[in-house]
Amino acid sequence: MSEHAWKAFEVSIADHVAEVRLIGPGKGNAMGPDFWAELPVLFGELDTDPQVRAVVLTGAGPHFSYGLDLAAMGPTLAPILADNAKARARTDFLHSLRGLQAAITAVADCRKPVVAAISGWCIGGGVDLIAAADIRYASADAKFSVREVKVAMVADVGSFARLPMILSDGHLRELALTGKDIDAARAEKIGLVNDVAEDQDAVLALARATAAEIAANPPLVVSGIKEVLDHSRSAAVHDSLRYVGAWNSAFLPSNDLSEAVTAVFEKRPPQFTGD
């Protein structure tokens, strides 16, 4: 890999396994501009690095990720939230959204299998990110939420494209329509994670052990397995991402979205009106 001074990640490589750690700079490893700009570059490099055969993806500190950094990403949303948002603003938003989608897709498309080790909160965009991983492990304290409905958004960077291939339809609809929080035991029961470890150290050890097992196998065969497994789902994922992009470019602006964002910053429950 290149000697890159990453702002949103720490990266180390040993014994053919790369370890990628989210470091923010937002609180709770929230996903701001640096995250979205660097993620596709980083996984593009991992994809082509012959020394890397598997990747462990985790978060720094007690939490995996609080999801989208609303404050830092405000400029992306601002044009489309304007009262007079017309075709240009909506088209620009769609272009920006497709960039965010492509960042998460870079993780899914990496030819090196990605093993996620999740502790603490994994919210919204964090779920988008782990849905792009090949294998997911959680610590007992992990909590998950497809939270976008709570901020008057349709999740649009990967959850609804990839979770239908991970969860049953009823479980996915329950998470998406309620925005409820679930713990690690529930996540394992519904198939969101493969296994639950005792604590953060244990889940990281489990992810490292699995990555090491993968790295010990023939690398061309491993990448071939990923290619074959991904083939039947890639068209459906692509179609879903394009559809939700068009949907949100048309229907995301609303009084409820403005109310949700305002309520987040004012630290109060939102009052939705359906407008």
Side-chain angles (χ1 to χ4, degrees):
M1 290 185 66
S2 63
E3 293 295 325
H4 196 118
W6 307 104
K7 295 179 181 178
F9 303 95
E10 290 177 346
V11 184
S12 60
I13 300 173
D15 300 322
H16 298 298
V17 175
E19 192 161 309
V20 176
R21 190 179 298 267
L22 282 65
I23 59 172
K27 182 180 179 182
N29 306 318
M31 300 169 170
D34 290 332
F35 171 89
W36 296 107
E38 292 180 350
L39 185 66
V41 178
L42 170 55
F43 272 84
E45 292 192 11
L46 293 174
D47 178 77
T48 58
D49 189 334
Q51 294 304 311
V52 176
R53 298 183 180 182
V55 181
V56 172
L57 178 64
T58 192
H63 302 291
F64 183 78
S65 179
Y66 285 174
L68 186 72
D69 188 335
L70 281 173
M73 296 300 290
T76 300
L77 292 173
I80 200 171
L81 292 180
D83 291 338
N84 62 344
K86 302 295 184 182
R88 171 54 61 192
R90 293 171 188 270
T91 301
D92 289 346
F93 173 78
L94 177 59
H95 179 75
S96 296
L97 175 55
R98 286 180 176 167
L100 305 186
Q101 292 174 339
I104 298 294
T105 295
V107 178
D109 286 352
C110 182
R111 288 174 293 175
K112 317 304 170 62
V114 180
V115 184
I118 306 139
S119 298
W121 279 110
C122 180
I123 303 172
V127 178
D128 292 309
L129 181 57
I130 66 167
D134 297 279
I135 298 167
R136 291 160 293 279
Y137 296 127
S139 60
D141 71 336
K143 292 171 285 187
F144 304 84
S145 180
V146 182
R147 187 76 61 88
E148 284 85 351
V149 69
K150 296 291 190 182
V151 289
M153 296 180 182
V154 177
D156 57 11
V157 295
S159 285
F160 293 169
R162 297 184 176 92
L163 287 180
M165 302 162 192
I166 298 169
L167 307 179
S168 70
D169 187 65
H171 289 314
L172 174 54
R173 288 174 186 264
E174 181 183 9
L175 294 180
L177 294 170
T178 65
K180 71 195 306 178
D181 306 332
I182 61 170
D183 61 16
R186 177 68 175 169
E188 182 184 22
K189 184 176 181 180
I190 67 176
L192 181 58
V193 299
N194 297 58
D195 203 352
V196 177
E198 182 178 0
D199 54 28
Q200 187 172 30
D201 289 340
V203 75
L204 192 53
L206 177 58
R208 287 168 173 166
T210 297
E213 280 190 82
I214 293 170
N217 289 327
L220 293 179
V221 175
V222 168
S223 64
I225 290 169
K226 277 208 63 171
E227 288 280 353
V228 172
L229 290 176
D230 289 345
H231 174 71
S232 62
R233 66 182 65 178
S234 59
V237 169
H238 178 73
D239 183 64
S240 176
L241 290 172
R242 290 187 70 84
Y243 183 77
V244 74
W247 177 275
N248 270 359
S249 297
F251 300 116
L252 182 64
S254 68
N255 291 334
D256 279 347
L257 177 58
S258 298
E259 163 65 9
V261 173
T262 300
V264 167
F265 289 114
E266 294 181 354
K267 298 182 179 180
R268 60 171 175 80
Q271 299 296 319
F272 295 131
T273 63
D275 297 322

